[in-house]
């Protein structure tokens, strides 16, 4: 995929940091920022510049393999280490979900262009014409921005604190595999002959992966619920065991108190008998014996 020169290259490369910023906002929304505000803006600018350079280099070296997306994951984790909360798995999971949102946004933009252009033009025609390609990229970024903003508003309206929820390694692995498979399918679609049949096939792929994402999410949700239920049962079992131990200890203390009360009663009866007999010597000896 040939890149552009001059002002066209500058305009094209300006899209990359905008998209990266939206992705970073998506991750930060789910994990939260740390209290360290100093240097955050400088770090953000550095992250966007480095990301833009990586995208350009990737376009020249490996134009058909999006290595930059995986390098961007490392950049997000580095930035997140200093300025974002949450575990590494949580940040990586929401980054992969953000990539899926990017794919959905670009797919919507692609469907729009394939429907408005003649079917014989296809993807190659779009890539070779800067004006259409720039408009396609801007439309994809705009759709990405609208989707994320609507998502943020819906989540905030529910007043649920998502920053406290962690993500299991299974969910991270599932997200990575889904992203990787979607990339393979999108790349395969870009290399085949463009036609209405190809467009229908792409829509079928998107539908299949939406269903697949739902099924995997539902499966992982069930696993999470089972794990939570198992932990709750363990807590109940531990609580019952502690209650049983306390009951046994209390019962032992009560039994000991009854024995002491019985012994005290026996001692008093014997001392009263010695007192009635005026056997004071024996009484003193018995008292010393009890005291000893």
């Amino acid at each position: 995929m040939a890149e552009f020169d001059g002002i066209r290259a500058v305009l094209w490369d300006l899209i990359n940091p905008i998209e990266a910023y939206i992705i970073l906002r998506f991750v930060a929304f789910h994990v939260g920022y740390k209290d360290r505000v100093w240097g955050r803006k400088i770090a953000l600018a550095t992250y966007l510049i480095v990301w833009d350079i990586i995208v350009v280099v990737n376009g020249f070296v490996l134009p058909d393999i999006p290595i930059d997306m995986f390098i961007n994951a490392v950049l997000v984790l580095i930035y997140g280490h200093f300025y974002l909360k949450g575990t590494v798995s949580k940040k990586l999971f929401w980054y992969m979900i953000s990539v899926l949102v990017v794919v959905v946004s670009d797919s919507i933009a692609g469907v729009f262009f394939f429907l408005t252009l003649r079917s014989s033009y296809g993807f190659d025609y779009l890539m070779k014409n800067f004006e259409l390609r720039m408009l396609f990229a801007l439309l994809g970024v705009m759709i990405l921005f609208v989707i994320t903003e609507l998502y943020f508003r819906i989540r905030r309206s529910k007043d649920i604190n998502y920053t406290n929820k962690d993500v299991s390694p299974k969910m991270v692995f599932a997200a990575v595999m889904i992203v990787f498979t979607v990339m393979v399918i999108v790349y395969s679609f870009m290399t085949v002959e463009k036609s209405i049949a190809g467009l229908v096939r792409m829509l079928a792929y998107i539908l299949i992966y939406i269903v697949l994402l739902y099924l995997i999410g539902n499966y992982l949700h069930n696993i999470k619920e089972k794990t939570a239920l198992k932990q709750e049962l363990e807590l109940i079992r531990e609580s019952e065991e502690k209650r049983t131990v306390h009951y046994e200890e209390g019962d032992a203390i009560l039994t000991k108190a009854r024995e002491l009360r019985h012994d005290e009663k026996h001692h008093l009866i014997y001392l009263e008998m010695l007192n009635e007999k005026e056997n004071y010597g024996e009484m003193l000896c018995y008292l010393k014996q009890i005291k000893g």
Side-chain angles (χ1 to χ4, degrees):
M1 187 181 298
E3 295 298 329
F4 306 105
D5 298 325
I7 189 64
R8 290 187 172 186
V10 175
L11 291 175
W12 179 256
D13 293 338
L14 286 177
I15 298 175
N16 300 325
I18 297 175
E19 188 177 78
Y21 176 71
I22 297 175
I23 291 175
L24 186 60
R25 281 190 67 221
F26 188 88
V27 177
F29 176 81
H30 292 90
V31 299
Y33 283 100
K34 294 181 179 178
D35 296 331
R36 297 176 58 184
V37 181
W38 184 86
R40 186 187 297 172
K41 293 182 178 179
I42 298 177
L44 176 60
T46 304
Y47 157 71
L48 296 178
I49 293 173
V50 173
W51 160 249
D52 200 16
I53 294 173
I54 290 173
V55 173
V56 174
V57 172
N58 190 179
F60 282 106
V61 179
L62 296 170
D64 297 328
I65 304 177
I67 302 297
D68 49 11
M69 188 200 72
F70 297 101
I71 299 179
N72 189 26
V74 177
L75 295 178
V76 171
L77 292 178
I78 294 175
Y79 180 89
H81 175 74
F82 295 100
Y83 299 102
L84 299 180
K85 298 179 181 178
T87 61
V88 173
S89 60
K90 187 175 181 180
K91 296 169 188 172
L92 186 59
F93 173 80
W94 286 113
Y95 172 76
M96 290 300 166
I97 297 299
S98 69
V99 173
L100 286 177
V101 178
V102 172
V103 173
V104 171
S105 303
D106 289 341
S107 298
I108 296 174
V111 169
F112 173 79
F113 271 87
F114 288 146
L115 290 177
T116 54
L117 295 175
R118 289 191 305 176
S119 60
S120 59
Y121 287 163
F123 187 80
D124 294 332
Y125 177 81
L126 180 65
M127 291 295 103
K128 293 176 181 178
N129 289 269
F130 173 77
E131 291 76 11
L132 289 178
R133 184 176 173 185
M134 190 74 181
L135 186 60
F136 167 78
L138 290 175
L139 180 62
V141 172
M142 184 182 70
I143 295 174
L144 174 63
F145 177 77
V146 171
I147 290 176
T148 53
E149 287 300 320
L150 289 176
Y151 174 81
F152 294 159
R153 288 181 180 273
I154 293 173
R155 281 292 178 98
R156 290 193 185 102
S157 65
K158 293 183 178 180
D159 194 23
I160 300 176
N161 188 3
Y162 291 91
T163 59
N164 291 332
K165 294 184 178 180
D166 204 351
V167 176
S168 65
K170 291 182 179 179
M171 296 181 66
V172 177
F173 176 76
V176 172
M177 292 305 298
I178 290 174
V179 170
F180 179 77
T181 311
V182 168
M183 287 169 49
V184 172
I185 289 179
V186 171
Y187 176 73
S188 299
F189 176 78
M190 290 167 55
T191 55
V192 299
E193 182 181 355
K194 308 307 178 297
S195 61
I196 293 298
L199 176 60
V200 173
R201 187 161 52 252
M202 182 185 72
L203 294 176
Y205 286 152
I206 295 175
L207 179 61
I208 290 173
Y209 273 92
I210 290 176
V211 174
L212 179 62
L213 181 62
Y214 171 78
L215 293 176
I216 293 178
N218 188 50
Y219 172 74
L220 294 174
H221 178 71
N222 291 336
I223 291 178
K224 191 174 182 180
E225 283 190 345
K226 289 180 180 179
T227 303
L229 181 60
K230 185 177 180 181
Q231 293 176 350
E232 185 177 353
L233 291 176
E234 287 293 333
L235 291 175
I236 293 174
R237 187 179 296 108
E238 291 178 359
S239 178
E240 288 296 328
E241 290 178 354
K242 290 180 180 180
R243 189 180 293 111
T244 302
V245 172
H246 290 165
Y247 174 79
E248 292 176 351
E249 291 177 351
D251 185 65
I253 293 173
L254 183 60
T255 302
K256 186 66 176 178
R258 288 174 180 172
E259 293 177 354
L260 291 175
R261 194 177 299 114
H262 179 270
D263 292 341
E264 290 176 358
K265 185 177 180 181
H266 175 76
H267 295 324
L268 290 174
I269 293 173
Y270 186 67
L271 289 173
E272 287 178 357
M273 183 187 68
L274 292 177
N275 183 48
E276 290 176 357
K277 293 182 179 182
E278 297 182 355
N279 192 349
Y280 301 115
E282 181 68 21
M283 186 184 296
L284 290 174
C285 290
Y286 189 73
L287 288 171
K288 290 180 179 179
Q289 183 180 357
I290 293 174
K291 185 178 179 181

